Amino acid sequence: MSGSGGVRWPGSGTDNSADEAWLTAIAEAAAGDSQAPLELLVEYLTLLADAAISGRRPRDHELAIVRELGRRAAEQGIPAGRVVDLYLSAAWRMWRDLPDVVPYRDRDTVRASAQTVLRVVGEAIAVLVDSYQVATQHLIRQEEALRRELVDDLLRGDADVSRIVERAEPFGLDLGRPHQVVLAVPADGLAEGDTATAMLERFILDRFGDREVLVATKDGLLVVLIPATTATTAMAVPRTGTKGVGAPIHDALVRHRAGRAWRVATGRAYPGAYGIARSYEEAREALTLSERLQLDAAVVDARDMLVYRVLVRDQAAIVDLINAVLVPVTRARGGAEPLLQTLETYFATGEVATEAARRLNVSVRTVTYRLAKVRELTGQDPGDPAQRFTLHIAVLGARLLDWPASDLPSNAPRT
């Protein structure tokens, strides 16, 4: 097909305006049927006409043009089925009209011509589809790379805000809106190419609508960037806003592969590019703290972890508190861990000894004995409201610092 839209008629090299008009009419009709660009039929109609009239098979350079057309179709985002429909529509239209243009003398000639045309159609479509698939895979890998780079820069808080905004636009991200980050990690680790990424993206788009959502992986974590449910700042986002995102994401991940345990952490929502980095840091810290504290909850919210963040930030004070209150329990027979575990469970159950005993799988007498031992060694009574608070904070600090399994930091600076 020439640049003017006409079709070159095969033969001795001379142009026949009537034949060109015929081929052009076929191309236009096929393009109308399939709703695909007429330009994708360049060279293809020539191949069919040559096959029908002279029985000639396609040459390598001609198939190379068809291969290029397949790549171009993929880059334009035209569905593969539509392109194949275009080629098949052009083929049957040409074959239908061919007897009126080139009269055949006998049945054998028609049979041979039909076989040749079918082979050419098969070869051309095979080349077209193969090229289309290769180009599509390349585009997917390219988009995934761009997506990972964008997510990395957003989570890092890239200083070049104008450039970030420009790169986010093709993905539909409006960085002027509040966004929040949700992180997910499976208990068995996230392998390269894990299908949970694609599944989660489909789920979020189905659940929350066609909104600017990015799902990627970073440092062994599934990262979800999703708009907040309101256009206000993080402090005005309802408590159910962030909670409502983490729970369905966790449920979808669990359903995706039965028996696989996931932990999900949600950051609070903030506007702007820097707000995304802030939400990410909150979600990551919430995930880390929940693991250190061995929380039972599979979904944690950064807002619920604020008190623990305070403890972590003033590490020197926590070290002082552990040294002053909990170090004496290391002298107990069996070490400090049984007493710390009992205190932790006792506080988690609202200071109900029977429930703590059930969770620990020990007798109530054992729980009360251990609490008495804590009181004896530390001078702090778990049953006294004021002293209970001191013990509780000390136990939380010990879990955050992985004490006594790890040594306490020495000379920890105050932040």
Side-chain angles (χ1 to χ4, degrees):
M1 193 172 295
S2 65
S4 61
V7 178
R8 181 180 62 80
W9 176 254
S12 59
T14 60
D15 291 333
N16 185 307
S17 58
D19 294 334
E20 286 187 6
W22 171 59
L23 292 180
T24 300
I26 290 176
E28 291 174 347
D33 283 348
S34 59
Q35 297 184 344
L38 180 137
E39 290 77 12
L40 295 178
L41 288 172
V42 170
E43 199 66 35
Y44 174 66
L45 287 179
T46 301
L47 296 180
L48 291 184
D50 274 341
I53 296 170
S54 64
R56 182 177 69 80
R57 300 287 294 277
R59 298 185 177 93
D60 289 344
H61 75 276
E62 292 170 325
L63 290 177
I65 295 176
V66 175
R67 183 174 291 106
E68 171 63 19
L69 294 174
R71 182 191 65 80
R72 192 181 305 171
E75 291 179 348
Q76 292 177 6
I78 304 170
R82 190 177 298 176
V83 182
V84 172
D85 284 346
L86 172 69
Y87 273 46
L88 292 176
S89 178
W92 74 258
R93 285 177 180 279
M94 173 176 283
W95 184 253
R96 180 193 62 186
D97 296 344
L98 205 56
D100 297 332
V101 180
V102 182
Y104 291 106
R105 292 189 297 273
D106 54 56
R107 183 178 300 175
D108 292 339
T109 303
V110 174
R111 183 183 298 111
S113 178
Q115 290 175 349
T116 304
V117 169
L118 288 175
R119 282 198 299 266
V120 171
V121 171
E123 288 183 40
I125 290 181
V127 167
L128 180 85
V129 171
D130 179 70
S131 174
Y132 186 99
Q133 291 176 337
V134 170
T136 299
Q137 290 300 318
H138 174 74
L139 291 172
I140 291 174
R141 289 193 296 270
Q142 189 176 49
E143 181 176 333
E144 288 176 346
L146 291 174
R147 182 193 302 246
R148 282 195 299 269
E149 291 174 5
L150 175 62
V151 170
D152 282 345
D153 290 343
L154 284 171
L155 300 185
R156 189 175 61 245
D158 195 299
D160 191 350
V161 176
S162 61
R163 176 62 179 153
I164 281 286
V165 171
E166 181 181 340
R167 290 165 55 199
E169 186 176 359
F171 293 97
L173 289 181
D174 179 5
L175 297 183
R177 297 181 58 189
H179 288 77
Q180 66 184 122
V181 174
V182 182
L183 301 179
V185 58
D188 56 353
L190 191 67
E192 185 69 25
D194 196 301
T195 57
T197 305
M199 179 284 301
L200 189 57
E201 186 167 32
R202 290 193 301 269
F203 166 78
I204 291 176
L205 291 176
D206 290 343
R207 175 69 181 264
F208 298 101
D210 187 16
R211 305 161 71 187
E212 58 267 35
V213 174
L214 282 183
V215 181
T217 58
K218 179 178 174 61
D219 300 333
L221 300 172
L222 258 179
V223 181
V224 181
L225 176 61
I226 188 169
T229 55
T230 179
T232 57
T233 61
M235 300 307 174
V237 175
R239 185 175 181 81
T240 55
T242 51
K243 277 288 190 183
V245 175
I249 286 177
H250 176 266
D251 292 345
L253 290 168
V254 171
R255 287 195 304 270
H256 177 60
R257 187 182 301 174
R260 193 180 196 187
W262 287 83
R263 189 180 292 272
V264 174
T266 62
R268 290 180 293 174
Y270 298 97
Y274 292 131
I276 292 174
R278 183 177 178 184
S279 181
Y280 167 69
E281 289 302 325
E282 284 189 353
R284 192 177 181 93
E285 189 171 31
L287 198 62
T288 301
L289 292 176
S290 67
E291 291 173 351
R292 287 185 184 177
L293 292 168
Q294 302 174 8
L295 298 182
D296 293 333
V299 180
V300 292
D301 192 308
R303 183 180 284 103
D304 296 333
M305 308 301 288
L306 291 177
V307 64
Y308 306 115
R309 292 178 64 197
V310 171
L311 297 179
V312 171
R313 297 292 171 84
D314 200 347
Q315 192 179 89
I318 290 299
V319 170
D320 287 345
L321 183 62
I322 294 172
N323 278 321
V325 176
L326 294 184
V327 167
V329 301
T330 58
R331 298 196 300 267
R333 181 180 300 177
E337 184 57 34
L339 299 185
L340 292 179
Q341 189 178 36
T342 299
L343 282 174
E344 186 176 28
T345 308
Y346 181 67
F347 295 138
T349 58
E351 294 87 44
V352 178
T354 53
E355 178 60 19
R358 188 188 66 79
R359 294 193 186 185
L360 292 169
N361 197 27
V362 298
S363 67
V364 176
R365 183 176 180 180
T366 299
V367 170
T368 55
Y369 168 79
R370 290 177 180 176
L371 295 176
K373 195 66 177 178
V374 168
R375 182 170 60 251
E376 174 189 334
L377 292 172
T378 66
Q380 302 288 328
D381 185 357
D384 181 272
Q387 296 177 358
R388 178 182 62 210
F389 177 77
T390 300
L391 279 171
H392 196 178
I393 296 300
V395 170
L396 290 176
R399 291 308 189 201
L400 291 172
L401 297 180
D402 194 30
W403 182 87
S406 301
D407 294 334
L408 291 173
S410 58
N411 300 321
R414 290 184 179 275
T415 58

